[in-house]
Amino acid sequence: MPSISKKGQSMPESPIRKLVPFAEEAKKRGVFVYHLNIGQPDIKTPQVALDAVKNNDIEVLSYSRSEGSEQYRTKLSNYYKKHHIDVDYDDIIITTGGSEALLFTMGSITDVGDEVIIPEPFYANYNGFATASGVKVVPVISSIDTAFALPPIEEFESLITDKTKAILICNPGNPTGYLYSKEEIQKLKALVLKHDLFLIADEVYREFVYDGLTHYSVMQETGLEQHAIMIDSVSKRYSMCGARIGCVVSKNKAFMQTALKFAQARLSPPTYAQIASEAALDTPDSYFEEVNTAYRERRDILVSELQKIEGVKVSSPKGAFYCVVALPVANADDFAKWLLQDFNDNNETVMIAPASGFYSTQGAGANQVRIAYVLKKEDLIRAVEIIKIALNQYKSNHL
């Protein structure tokens, strides 16, 4: 039998999706599953985006340009300018989701064996993108005790080698919900300028910021023009995960010309999804005000309910719609699987994402889970009630 590549064998499983078969089996047994495991918003996609596809009179569904339609990119650049990010349409390449934007970025700035420093826990697929590109992830651990704030800049600097090509952050953070301050971005700026590195910022949750705080982009910092790379997506912003439209944004022309070659190799991003994404830019600001209010209320309920459970530790996120929760268990992977295989309360259970997959440090996050607060409030309350009941039963069964 032909052998599978070492790269393929080393590709990590998704901590978010690997438990899906167990959830599907639970459903077949008639168990209702509350999905706290995945960032699929239940917020309605803006009607203007759906209508743009439904009412389109295209007769030939042709390729778009490899970098995405100029009309969409121009409109997108105007959106960014509203957010104090001064970029033109040719500073933007449209991609098939933020995932492809990250793959293009890794391919454009790294060679096999190069290193990227990432504060962890981080979006689990960063591990997969790095593996696919032959890149080594060098983690800097942030702590739940400091609400996952940026680790001391000295820790970053101590890890820089001649193989280091970039620092990658997610702002606001998935899975932590941490929002980097302007001062923290400026500390990273000073470091990448000193060592001539790229600073990559995954900013797909920029719209979801709470408590009167504001999002500060790496693209707003003057002096970073040749170093800053922004990753973005419509998936969460407009509740359009299935559109698979993202983009990579940079004012570094050499980087963008290189990323375009990767874009050309995959031909073009999907036409209908670009049409929907372009129309979504006409969504009124009131949409985001309502969505932010809903997520803030959900966050407050989730955190307050979790804090009532003995032995549970959770920090209140300032952005996105996730939080990392430390549970009074030794192995959160085992607990998450047990919830689906062996437990139910009144024929209901919960699906959560073990947080160990959001780390690259071996053994880190073993007792942690990521919870996405993308369900309505009463469902969140019930889901946390189930977790409390389950923890008591699990601990008594695993003494």
Side-chain angles (χ1 to χ4, degrees):
M1 175 180 169
S3 61
I4 302 300
S5 69
K6 291 179 181 177
K7 181 191 291 185
Q9 292 177 46
S10 63
M11 277 291 287
E13 285 186 302
S14 166
I16 307 163
R17 297 176 182 270
K18 69 180 181 181
L19 296 174
V20 167
F22 300 101
E24 294 305 313
E25 286 300 316
K27 292 172 186 176
K28 288 177 184 177
R29 297 194 304 270
V31 177
F32 181 84
V33 179
Y34 289 93
H35 283 273
L36 300 178
N37 61 301
I38 193 164
Q40 171 58 64
D42 64 350
I43 305 294
K44 191 177 183 301
T45 302
Q47 193 62 41
V48 66
L50 300 174
D51 288 344
V53 175
K54 289 177 185 175
N55 302 332
N56 202 281
D57 59 1
I58 287 177
E59 294 183 357
V60 177
L61 194 58
S62 58
Y63 291 119
S64 76
R65 291 176 59 174
S66 293
E67 56 267 73
S69 83
E70 186 172 322
Q71 184 173 308
Y72 175 37
R73 288 181 292 132
T74 299
K75 198 168 177 180
L76 194 53
S77 73
N78 291 331
Y79 156 83
Y80 286 128
K81 287 183 172 80
K82 276 176 52 182
H83 292 268
H84 313 292
I85 296 171
D86 187 18
V87 294
D88 296 321
Y89 72 90
D90 56 355
D91 298 322
I92 302 169
I93 294 175
I94 305 303
T95 58
T96 308
S99 298
E100 190 176 68
L102 278 157
L103 283 167
F104 286 178
T105 298
M106 292 271 191
S108 298
I109 69 171
T110 64
D111 291 309
V112 173
D114 283 341
E115 299 172 354
V116 175
I117 299 173
I118 314 178
E120 64 177 358
F122 50 72
Y123 176 47
N125 282 337
Y126 293 165
N127 277 323
F129 302 147
T131 300
S133 301
V135 172
K136 180 183 177 183
V137 170
V138 178
V140 182
I141 296 182
S142 59
S143 169
I144 194 170
D145 296 321
T146 59
F148 300 105
L150 186 76
I153 211 72
E154 294 78 15
E155 292 185 23
F156 285 87
E157 190 156 29
S158 69
L159 297 171
I160 294 173
T161 71
D162 59 359
K163 289 287 188 181
T164 307
K165 288 299 177 73
I167 295 171
L168 168 58
I169 61 171
C170 186
N171 184 33
N174 175 9
T176 64
Y178 185 76
L179 180 71
Y180 290 96
S181 67
K182 179 178 180 179
E183 290 70 29
E184 287 172 319
I185 297 296
Q186 290 176 333
K187 286 180 181 179
L188 291 171
K189 169 189 172 179
L191 188 63
V192 300
L193 290 177
K194 178 180 178 182
H195 293 276
D196 200 22
L197 307 175
F198 286 101
L199 178 57
I200 309 165
D202 181 344
E203 300 186 358
V204 305
Y205 298 96
R206 70 166 63 250
E207 243 81 18
F208 309 113
V209 174
Y210 318 119
D211 304 331
L213 300 172
T214 55
H215 178 265
Y216 188 76
S217 172
V218 295
M219 301 299 292
Q220 290 174 249
E221 269 296 317
T222 56
L224 268 183
E225 290 80 8
Q226 300 307 308
H227 301 262
I229 300 170
M230 182 176 74
I231 308 298
D232 207 353
S233 168
V234 304
S235 292
K236 316 300 180 178
R237 178 170 303 131
Y238 301 113
S239 197
M240 289 172 58
C241 296
R244 308 312 307 132
I245 290 291
C247 63
V248 57
V249 183
S250 180
K251 298 185 82 66
N252 182 314
K253 297 302 182 186
F255 165 74
M256 293 298 283
Q257 288 165 5
T258 306
L260 179 57
K261 290 188 283 186
F262 285 86
Q264 291 168 341
R266 65 82 165 98
L267 304 184
S268 69
T271 299
Y272 267 134
Q274 287 184 83
I275 290 169
S277 301
E278 181 183 332
L281 289 167
D282 292 327
T283 303
D285 290 342
S286 58
Y287 172 87
F288 297 108
E289 291 165 8
E290 293 168 9
V291 170
N292 264 280
T293 298
Y295 280 137
R296 188 184 67 249
E297 290 174 352
R298 292 174 180 190
R299 177 204 64 177
D300 293 345
I301 284 173
L302 176 68
V303 170
S304 65
E305 292 299 309
L306 285 168
Q307 287 174 337
K308 295 174 185 176
I309 304 176
E310 184 179 355
V312 166
K313 181 183 290 185
V314 57
S315 63
S316 184
K318 301 299 183 185
F321 37 69
Y322 309 101
C323 62
V324 172
V325 185
L327 300 176
V329 298
N331 188 323
D333 282 80
D334 182 73
F335 176 64
K337 190 183 297 184
W338 176 85
L339 278 169
L340 298 169
Q341 275 191 311
D342 303 311
F343 169 83
N344 72 80
D345 181 63
N346 291 328
N347 239 22
E348 294 181 328
T349 192
V350 172
M351 188 174 182
I352 50 182
S356 58
F358 295 88
Y359 290 83
S360 63
T361 299
Q362 195 69 29
N367 71 327
Q368 297 176 358
V369 298
R370 186 194 74 169
I371 290 179
Y373 44 95
V374 293
L375 304 180
K376 58 186 179 182
K377 290 180 281 187
E378 51 268 38
D379 287 349
L380 285 173
I381 292 170
R382 172 61 180 148
V384 176
E385 179 187 24
I386 291 170
I387 291 172
K388 180 179 180 179
I389 295 166
L391 281 169
N392 289 332
Q393 188 173 321
Y394 181 82
K395 286 189 286 185
S396 65
N397 292 348
H398 291 75
L399 291 176

